[in-house]
Amino acid sequence: MSKRRVRYLVTGTTEAPATSTMRIRTRIEATDEDLVVLEALGRHFDRLQGADLAARCRPLPDDARAICALANYVGSLLGKFSVTCEDGTVAHRRPPSAETLYWGARKHALTAGCSSRWAGWVTKSSNDAYGLAVRNAELALRDKEKAIAAIAKKLKLTVHTQVERKALLQVEQDRAKAEHRRPRHLDFGYKSAHEHAMKRQRRDHLRSEADKLASDIAAGVVHVTRGGKKLMRTRLHLDEAGLTEAEWRARWRAKRWSFGANGETGKRLGNETIRVSPDGLMDVDLPPRLASLANVTARGVTRYRFDARVRFSYRGAEWRAQVEANRAVAYDVVLSESGRVYLDASFTPSVRSETPRLEALLARPDLKVLALDLNHGFLAPAVLDRSGNMVRRLPHIPLLTEGLPASTRDGHLRHAITEALDLATSYGCALVVVENLGFDDMRATGRERYGAQRWFRRVVCSIPTAQFRDRLVAMASRRAIAVAGVPAAYSSIWGREHWQAPLSTKKHKISGHTAAAVVLGRRALGQPARRRAQASPGVTASDQRIVRIEATGQPVGVVSYRVRCVNGPEPECEGTSTPPRRKGSGQRQPTRLVGAHVGTEAANVEREVPSPAKTVRVGRVSLVGTQ
């Protein structure tokens, strides 16, 4: 058998940057008077945001370019702008760009309709929406170019029907068997002349869309729809969407009437525009046009103090410490389509959890790693020691996201991550390892490469890889747990080939996904992914189990463990296995699972971990189809 050639990158560990920003939400039990003020503020800032975003999306005016050219000319003469500080030193700064000058001009124009702080929030929101639209346009252009290249590559191949393909494959297998080699991979074109013609039309359509995107990007034209393009198009098809005009308009207002205020360090309660005291008293600075709604007018200020009290039940202690220390807290008021009002608070806590660096963690001989293999419907965890040996067998963590609303899907994702972090805390794992897996190419060219396999495309595109990594990094940073990403190439192949059999017993088998998690953890630890003689302590040959080694040559402070299970009294059990055959029967009895018909590691088993978070109740999570 010839040696398999590695075609993808299998080395390199990426350390995820720790995040410390926190965002919490609470509901405001607004009275009728409060709702009148909130709707007036939402309507007012809807108009300001629409005008400012339209100005930002247009190309820069000639006067801004002239100012920028003059500033660059002066800067080229003087080298840099020089500023004399109070201590006598001279500081230099570069001339401002055209975008910065135009930002200041837009903010100055908005100040007439609201305060300078409100104008700062409006312009910042417009800049964020503009930047997101530009990145999305560039990403869409790259995806269309990939799809065009995939179609063009396949159009060059000869059209072969299904019968012809089978015949050619059989000929290649016979030839490889006669030459004592592996069958070569054969590339086929489309299955019929009709499909070939339809793909030519799709290629031309993609080219026209790509040319339009490229021209817009070159000209600086950006298209943004406040409230969402999908919701805007739904207005023309209310009957198909099952909505009335009033229901649609409520959704449209909820998407556009939200407003907020940036935080300011050193100011009273961390925000001069929207103030929330530690006892829950909330007041808002009103624009001049809405000054008639103010109920606090002392010393020339026009503010409205809400009758409702604000209370943050989640992370309330961190928020209270933030406002009492007059540290920056940004607020966003969200008006939902159901009439409810929510308040979001964003801040960076003064006391941060110090996440250890990857280099320092790898120097610890007692390091334990929790490796996670993300799959469709579940997470496969594995706990490894510093030598790369799996020390605990753990059941799969359900993660059902397909066909669910966004809010429900996010709750399931948070629940699965919380359960994984509870496992890491319970077993003393200071590092969580995930795979740097993304389906960008699949989402861009999946229709062209796997057009007939719609089920496969739907399964792959429903795996929330990016959201999983972002949520995991944010939630792990609050527990001072580091996160690292490793390449996913050959993890499933090498896991089944090198680790599934040695880590399994006759009665209790581990899945290939758990074996893939072992490969991911070993890569993060700097150990070889493939198991060879003396590759790691406790694995010296293919027919030996991982056992405790007391011989010499063991790294200082590192102990190899016999794999233990947390699911039952037996030290080598994992989930539910197939029972032995009964006497007199010619076949095995079907496996009986507790709770639901699921795979081996996804059964309802008892775990020696803290109780999971209350984001999603375990009883409400369906376990069908997790393996």
Side-chain angles (χ1 to χ4, degrees):
M1 182 179 293
S2 61
K3 185 178 180 181
R4 182 184 292 109
R5 183 175 60 182
V6 178
R7 297 178 297 169
Y8 301 99
L9 180 67
V10 295
T11 59
T13 302
T14 304
E15 182 180 5
T19 59
S20 56
T21 305
M22 188 177 301
R23 187 181 183 91
I24 57 179
R25 167 173 286 194
T26 186
R27 181 184 174 185
I28 302 177
E29 299 290 345
T31 61
D32 295 339
E33 293 79 6
D34 298 342
L35 286 176
V36 171
V37 177
L38 290 173
E39 291 178 357
L41 287 170
R43 192 181 302 107
H44 179 69
F45 286 109
D46 176 33
R47 182 179 60 84
L48 295 182
Q49 279 187 287
D52 184 68
L53 183 58
R56 182 64 185 92
C57 292
R58 288 193 295 266
L60 296 181
D62 296 336
D63 55 350
R65 295 182 182 275
I67 295 174
C68 181
L70 178 60
N72 290 332
Y73 175 72
V74 175
S76 63
L77 295 179
L78 302 179
K80 293 180 180 179
F81 289 137
S82 301
V83 178
T84 304
C85 303
E86 297 179 356
D87 55 358
T89 60
V90 178
H92 304 281
R93 60 183 180 87
R94 296 185 180 275
S97 61
E99 287 78 7
T100 304
L101 293 173
Y102 192 39
W103 188 354
R106 288 165 34 225
K107 183 178 179 181
H108 179 72
L110 288 172
T111 306
C114 58
S115 64
S116 177
R117 292 185 174 90
W118 283 119
W121 174 81
V122 171
T123 53
K124 182 179 181 299
S125 301
S126 300
N127 291 342
D128 293 342
Y130 175 83
L132 179 61
V134 170
R135 293 191 298 270
N136 289 341
E138 295 175 352
L139 180 61
L141 178 60
R142 289 197 298 267
D143 290 347
K144 292 184 184 303
E145 291 175 349
K146 291 179 182 179
I148 292 171
I151 295 177
K153 181 180 178 180
K154 205 165 184 179
L155 286 175
K156 296 179 181 179
L157 301 177
T158 307
V159 176
H160 292 287
T161 62
Q162 191 68 20
V163 177
E164 295 174 348
R165 293 186 182 193
K166 291 182 179 180
L168 292 174
L169 289 174
Q170 186 63 38
V171 170
E172 176 60 25
Q173 290 179 1
D174 297 341
R175 187 177 300 173
K177 185 177 181 180
E179 298 176 359
H180 303 285
R181 58 175 176 81
R182 289 184 175 181
R184 296 188 179 92
H185 176 73
L186 301 181
D187 294 327
F188 298 103
Y190 293 104
K191 297 181 180 180
S192 63
H194 174 71
E195 185 180 6
H196 193 276
M198 297 301 294
K199 287 299 181 180
R200 289 200 306 268
Q201 293 183 9
R202 174 163 173 78
R203 180 197 57 185
D204 297 339
H205 175 69
L206 290 174
R207 282 179 178 175
S208 63
E209 290 186 346
D211 294 341
K212 183 178 179 180
L213 281 172
S215 62
D216 289 344
I217 292 175
V221 178
V222 180
H223 304 277
V224 183
T225 303
R226 293 190 60 246
K229 186 184 296 184
K230 181 178 180 181
L231 185 59
M232 182 189 67
R233 290 176 175 175
T234 306
R235 178 65 179 85
L236 304 177
H237 309 280
L238 294 180
D239 295 337
E240 297 178 5
L243 297 174
T244 63
E245 183 178 354
E247 293 174 348
W248 178 89
R249 197 163 296 280
R251 294 186 181 184
W252 185 252
R253 286 197 298 263
K255 292 287 187 179
R256 297 168 60 98
W257 281 18
S258 301
F259 60 93
N262 301 327
E264 298 176 277
T265 302
K267 298 297 182 179
R268 183 170 176 264
L269 302 179
N271 198 308
E272 286 287 343
T273 307
I274 300 178
R275 289 180 180 175
V276 182
S277 60
D279 57 355
L281 194 63
M282 175 181 173
D283 52 45
V284 178
D285 186 16
L286 296 177
R289 180 172 294 185
L290 304 178
S292 59
L293 301 176
N295 56 9
V296 178
T297 56
R299 292 178 294 181
V301 299
T302 54
R303 305 181 69 88
Y304 179 82
R305 181 163 296 170
F306 289 82
D307 297 332
R309 293 300 181 99
V310 176
R311 177 180 174 271
F312 289 98
S313 57
Y314 177 72
R315 300 282 182 176
E318 290 89 339
W319 167 80
R320 191 175 295 105
Q322 191 82 359
V323 297
E324 289 177 351
N326 294 332
R327 294 175 58 88
V329 181
Y331 294 105
D332 290 296
V333 180
V334 180
L335 284 74
S336 66
E337 58 187 68
S338 61
R340 296 181 177 182
V341 182
Y342 297 94
L343 179 66
D344 295 348
S346 305
F347 57 92
T348 302
S350 56
V351 180
R352 307 179 187 178
S353 300
E354 294 295 336
T355 304
R357 304 289 297 179
L358 181 61
E359 183 179 359
L361 289 175
L362 295 179
R364 292 169 46 181
D366 59 341
L367 174 66
K368 289 185 180 180
V369 174
L370 176 65
L372 298 175
D373 182 48
L374 177 62
N375 300 278
H376 176 62
F378 62 94
L379 299 175
V383 178
L384 284 71
D385 62 3
R386 182 61 183 87
S387 300
N389 296 331
M390 191 174 76
V391 299
R392 290 291 185 274
R393 289 193 185 97
L394 301 173
H396 290 172
I397 301 174
L399 177 57
L400 305 179
T401 58
E402 185 179 3
L404 298 176
S407 58
T408 308
R409 182 173 63 247
D410 185 71
H412 284 215
L413 184 62
R414 288 174 179 269
H415 174 74
I417 294 175
T418 301
E419 191 170 354
L421 294 178
D422 288 342
L423 289 175
T425 304
S426 177
Y427 296 117
C429 300
L431 177 65
V432 176
V433 179
V434 296
E435 49 190 342
N436 280 335
L437 182 63
F439 297 109
D440 297 337
D441 292 339
M442 180 63 186
R443 294 184 175 94
T445 62
R447 178 176 176 180
E448 324 308 333
R449 297 169 58 189
Y450 308 98
Q453 302 178 9
R454 294 187 177 181
W455 63 270
F456 178 72
R457 293 159 49 197
R458 183 171 61 253
V459 166
V460 171
C461 294
S462 64
I463 300 178
T465 53
Q467 294 182 6
F468 172 74
R469 288 195 298 265
D470 296 341
R471 297 289 189 194
L472 178 63
V473 172
M475 296 173 67
S477 299
R478 298 168 190 168
R479 302 196 186 195
I481 298 177
V483 179
V486 296
Y490 305 101
S491 59
S492 299
I493 297 175
W494 289 346
R496 289 186 174 91
E497 181 179 352
H498 296 280
W499 296 102
Q500 187 175 11
L503 296 176
S504 301
T505 62
K506 294 182 179 179
K507 293 184 179 180
H508 307 284
K509 307 291 185 180
I510 72 165
S511 67
H513 305 290
T514 301
V518 173
V519 173
L520 298 176
R522 290 178 63 84
R523 283 177 177 170
L525 293 169
Q527 304 288 348
R530 291 174 287 183
R531 181 178 57 82
R532 295 173 180 173
Q534 301 295 338
S536 61
V539 182
T540 58
S542 60
D543 57 347
Q544 291 184 353
R545 308 289 181 192
I546 294 183
V547 296
R548 185 184 179 93
I549 293 181
E550 297 180 356
T552 58
Q554 183 81 354
V556 179
V558 178
V559 180
S560 289
Y561 296 87
R562 184 178 181 83
V563 181
R564 297 182 57 190
C565 178
V566 298
N567 301 335
E570 294 293 334
E572 295 180 349
C573 69
E574 179 178 1
T576 307
S577 62
T578 304
R581 289 183 295 178
R582 299 178 182 177
K583 292 183 179 180
S585 62
Q587 59 182 359
R588 295 180 181 270
Q589 299 296 325
T591 303
R592 297 181 62 185
L593 301 182
V594 180
H597 181 67
V598 294
T600 300
E601 297 176 331
N604 292 335
V605 292
E606 183 180 357
R607 307 178 184 181
E608 298 177 354
V609 296
S611 59
K614 296 182 180 180
T615 306
V616 179
R617 289 182 293 178
V618 178
R620 298 187 62 181
V621 180
S622 174
L623 301 180
V624 178
T626 55
Q627 272 187 283

